[in-house]
Amino acid sequence: MNNLTHLIDKLNSEHILSKAEFTELIGNHSPEDAKYAAKLARSICDHWYGKKIYLRGLIEFTNFCKNDCLYCGIRRSNQKGDRYRLTKDEILECSDMGYDLGFRTFVLQGGEDLHYTDEIMCDIISSIKSRHPDTAVTLSIGEKTYDQYKKYFDAGADRYLLRHETANETHYSKLHPKEMSLTNRKQCLFDLKEIGYQVGTGFMVGSPYQTPEYLAEDFIFIHNLQPAMVGIGPFVVHHDTPFKDKKNGTADLTTFLVSLLRIMLPYALIPATTSLGTIDPQGREKGILAGANVLMPNLSPTSVRKKYMLYDNKICTGDEAAECRLCLKNRIEAIGYETVIDRGDVAVTPLD
Ligand code: SF4
């Protein structure tokens, strides 16, 4: 059987591989290579962050979106979507309840919804920060202009998540409508960094038309960006999208890529994503054992959870936030880790 541990070792010592090397490693690794990478990735993560797993309270505040990404269940063309928006007061209630449960980061996530003007967004951000000054506010609301990102930052936002989804132009054009541009998306990420945000990017694993070569380009793009956070999860089909007949990504490839990301970016904050937990009941635990160190449970009101369906069969849409918090604590302790009350900023130096 192919043994590619020399490439994993090279990634560990140089923190980058050539496109050909990444393609070989991603396309031809064996289960033994994946085990080797997971063990190494986990030891690197323990070195930087110990046994701590950081929790981010996710508030999905709108499922309206002006965009039409082909893979997404809340794309504007999906007439069957049951749309909702949370008011400022509802968002603040979620953050108050999350704070009481021990969350010190709130992620405001939504489609690109023009209802939330810059004024409304800045008011929401500054209100959360004034009620809970020891928390971090993360935004995940898509592509905006430099000036808009700056306004949110000045209002108190600390972090921004914007997955690039694929770093390859041809692939990008197969996943998105013509009016969306990969160049603009990449520029947004560099703008966010320049403004001073802790920036997160990422991609779907196993998205339609993806190849090991395209994934190699994702790794090289991420290496060049040097983000604080990288979120990857398997592509999961949504039945009301043009990709309804495509295949889901796999937990095995996702966890292997989590390990490679950890080895390439030792300090990064890497979530074990909800989509990983959706395609495999032990997916989030596997993600942590492969090198992830973040979980993002849902704080949105249960009345709207099922409506934020980016993909089919999403887990944790029925439980109250307190139940989710306890469930995750128990699951994480069962594999030898601990959930912590902490903002969980990106590490600048390893623990030892
Ligand atoms: S992926 Fe994001 S930008 Fe694209 S349609 Fe879905 S919510 Fe909108």
Side-chain angles (χ1 to χ4, degrees), residues 65 67-69 71-72 74-76 110-112 180 310:
C65 188
N67 289 335
D68 218 15
C69 306
Y71 46 84
C72 179
I74 64 169
R75 65 199 299 266
R76 68 163 188 263
E112 291 196 20
M180 290 182 74
L310 303 181

Side-chain angles (χ1 to χ4, degrees), residues 71 208 234-241 243-249 279 310-313:
Y71 46 84
F235 164 72
V236 185
V237 167
H238 188 288
H239 62 279
D240 287 323
T241 65
F243 289 162
K244 63 180 189 308
D245 297 322
K246 303 289 185 197
K247 274 200 194 128
N248 288 344
I279 57 160
L310 303 181
Y311 49 81
D312 289 345
N313 303 318

Side-chain angles (χ1 to χ4, degrees), residues 117-189:
T117 59
D118 294 344
E119 201 184 346
I120 295 175
M121 279 317 300
C122 289
D123 181 32
I124 292 169
I125 295 162
S126 59
S127 301
I128 294 176
K129 294 292 283 208
S130 67
R131 287 155 97 107
H132 308 297
D134 56 336
T135 59
V137 170
T138 305
L139 300 179
S140 178
I141 51 174
E143 295 178 31
K144 307 281 178 185
T145 64
Y146 186 99
D147 289 346
Q148 289 180 294
Y149 287 146
K150 181 82 171 65
K151 278 186 200 164
Y152 309 150
F153 187 77
D154 291 343
D158 305 272
R159 307 178 187 141
Y160 206 103
L161 306 178
L162 183 71
R163 288 184 175 193
H164 67 282
E165 297 302 1
T166 173
N168 178 278
E169 286 283 0
T170 305
H171 191 208
Y172 192 87
S173 69
K174 290 182 177 172
L175 302 181
H176 300 93
K178 278 200 184 65
E179 69 266 18
M180 290 182 74
S181 138
L182 177 59
T183 308
N184 188 58
R185 203 158 183 92
K186 288 179 174 173
Q187 187 57 49
C188 286
L189 285 161

Side-chain angles (χ1 to χ4, degrees), residues 158-229:
D158 305 272
R159 307 178 187 141
Y160 206 103
L161 306 178
L162 183 71
R163 288 184 175 193
H164 67 282
E165 297 302 1
T166 173
N168 178 278
E169 286 283 0
T170 305
H171 191 208
Y172 192 87
S173 69
K174 290 182 177 172
L175 302 181
H176 300 93
K178 278 200 184 65
E179 69 266 18
M180 290 182 74
S181 138
L182 177 59
T183 308
N184 188 58
R185 203 158 183 92
K186 288 179 174 173
Q187 187 57 49
C188 286
L189 285 161
F190 286 103
D191 287 349
L192 288 160
K193 254 196 115 168
E194 188 183 305
I195 290 166
Y197 284 94
Q198 292 176 38
V199 172
T201 193
F203 55 88
M204 291 175 292
V205 179
S207 59
Y209 315 109
Q210 190 175 62
T211 64
E213 202 176 28
Y214 291 164
L215 285 166
E217 290 180 41
D218 288 321
F219 273 79
I220 291 167
F221 171 71
I222 291 169
H223 178 266
N224 292 339
L225 179 67
Q226 292 287 309
M229 304 164 285

